[in-house]
């Protein structure tokens, strides 16, 4: 589990001939161990390789299908966050690192606006949470297959959201509590229909 408070960005080094996707740490020096969970652009991945200057992960087909990793180019800046612990201050929100879909940037200023498949509309509420490229943010406006968020300078400095252009893809995770509520309502409606 993550909080959506990104530590920094690291460089994506690409996929090696061995199938491992590697990330260059740069100035960031976290304590990463084999088997650790790490969020990369909002995707929960398991660390399978650690060196002094990088870490590596495997990315399965399902993750490639649901995220931007299928089109990520070497050299791209990636938002990273280590998983929370029982001692971690939960500053952001409840982030699983389970990307629901890839959205697109539709507007940059004064708010960042994104579009996504309208089937997710019931999971987005004004003043609720949404996770974009691993960053936990507050929704400022909603539309059909669309949402907007406000970005403060610290978020722009610490993450890759300030580098996005109109049309750019980004990973979206919707609120887990909303997902459970929608699922519960669906099951109740199904049961009422059977009665």
């Amino acid at each position: 589990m993550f909080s959506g408070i990104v530590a920094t960005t690291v460089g994506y080094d690409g996929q090696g001939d061995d199938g491992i996707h590697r990330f260059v740490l740069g100035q960031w020096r976290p304590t990463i161990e084999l088997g650790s969970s790490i969020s990369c652009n909002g995707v929960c991945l398991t660390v399978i390789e650690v060196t002094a200057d990088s870490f590596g992960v495997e990315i399965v087909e399902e993750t490639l299908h649901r995220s931007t990793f299928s089109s990520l180019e070497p050299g791209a800046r990636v938002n990273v966050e280590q998983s929370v612990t029982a001692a971690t201050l939960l500053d952001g929100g409840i982030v699983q690192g389970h990307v629901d879909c890839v959205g697109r940037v539709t507007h940059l200023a004064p708010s960042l606006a994104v579009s996504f498949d309208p089937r997710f509309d019931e999971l987005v509420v004004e003043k609720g949470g949404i996770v974009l490229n691993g960053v936990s943010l507050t929704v400022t406006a909603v539309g059909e297959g669309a949402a907007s968020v406000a970005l403060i300078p610290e978020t722009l400095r610490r993450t890759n959201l300030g580098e996005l252009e109109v049309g750019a893809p980004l990973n979206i995770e919707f609120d887990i509590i909303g997902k459970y509520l929608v699922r519960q309502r669906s099951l109740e409606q199904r049961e009422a229909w059977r009665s």
Side-chain angles (χ1 to χ4, degrees), residues 112-186:
L112 174 67
V114 297
S115 64
F116 48 83
D117 188 326
R119 70 186 172 103
F120 294 108
D121 279 352
E122 61 189 349
L123 298 175
V124 185
V125 296
E126 189 174 343
K127 305 304 180 201
I130 192 169
V131 182
L132 304 179
N133 272 2
V135 183
S136 181
L137 298 161
T138 302
V139 176
T140 56
V142 296
E144 184 178 346
S148 296
V149 298
L151 299 175
I152 63 172
E154 177 66 10
T155 302
L156 292 171
R157 183 189 68 76
R158 187 182 291 257
T159 73
N160 64 13
L161 296 182
E163 301 170 11
L164 297 175
E165 298 177 352
V166 171
L170 72 173
N171 296 319
I172 301 179
E173 179 181 336
F174 299 102
D175 180 65
I176 184 62
I177 296 171
K179 291 181 205 176
Y180 279 116
L181 291 173
V182 168
R183 174 69 173 155
Q184 179 64 35
R185 185 183 70 209
S186 172

Side-chain angles (χ1 to χ4, degrees), residues 11-192:
Y12 178 57
D13 204 31
Q15 183 178 17
D17 293 337
D18 54 6
I20 298 175
H21 294 258
R22 291 181 175 85
F23 300 84
V24 180
L25 294 173
Q27 299 299 314
W28 191 45
R29 289 293 180 258
T31 303
I32 300 177
E33 299 177 0
L34 292 176
S36 295
S37 291
I38 192 161
S39 172
C40 298
N41 270 359
V43 179
C44 178
L45 299 169
T46 301
V47 175
I48 63 166
E49 177 185 274
V50 180
T51 71
D53 300 315
S54 69
F55 67 91
V57 300
E58 286 180 303
I59 301 179
V60 298
E61 192 62 36
E62 173 70 6
T63 302
L64 291 172
H65 172 72
R66 285 193 183 258
S67 75
T68 58
F69 275 106
S70 60
S71 61
L72 197 65
E73 296 289 333
R77 304 301 299 168
V78 175
N79 296 330
V80 288
E81 177 191 357
Q82 292 183 271
S83 58
V84 297
T85 68
T88 305
L89 183 63
L90 188 58
D91 279 340
I94 300 171
V95 178
Q96 294 186 300
H98 301 164
V99 171
D100 293 299
C101 69
V102 172
R104 295 270 173 195
V105 175
T106 58
H107 196 72
L108 294 170
S111 296
L112 174 67
V114 297
S115 64
F116 48 83
D117 188 326
R119 70 186 172 103
F120 294 108
D121 279 352
E122 61 189 349
L123 298 175
V124 185
V125 296
E126 189 174 343
K127 305 304 180 201
I130 192 169
V131 182
L132 304 179
N133 272 2
V135 183
S136 181
L137 298 161
T138 302
V139 176
T140 56
V142 296
E144 184 178 346
S148 296
V149 298
L151 299 175
I152 63 172
E154 177 66 10
T155 302
L156 292 171
R157 183 189 68 76
R158 187 182 291 257
T159 73
N160 64 13
L161 296 182
E163 301 170 11
L164 297 175
E165 298 177 352
V166 171
L170 72 173
N171 296 319
I172 301 179
E173 179 181 336
F174 299 102
D175 180 65
I176 184 62
I177 296 171
K179 291 181 205 176
Y180 279 116
L181 291 173
V182 168
R183 174 69 173 155
Q184 179 64 35
R185 185 183 70 209
S186 172
L187 293 174
E188 289 171 355
Q189 289 172 344
R190 186 185 310 170
E191 189 60 35

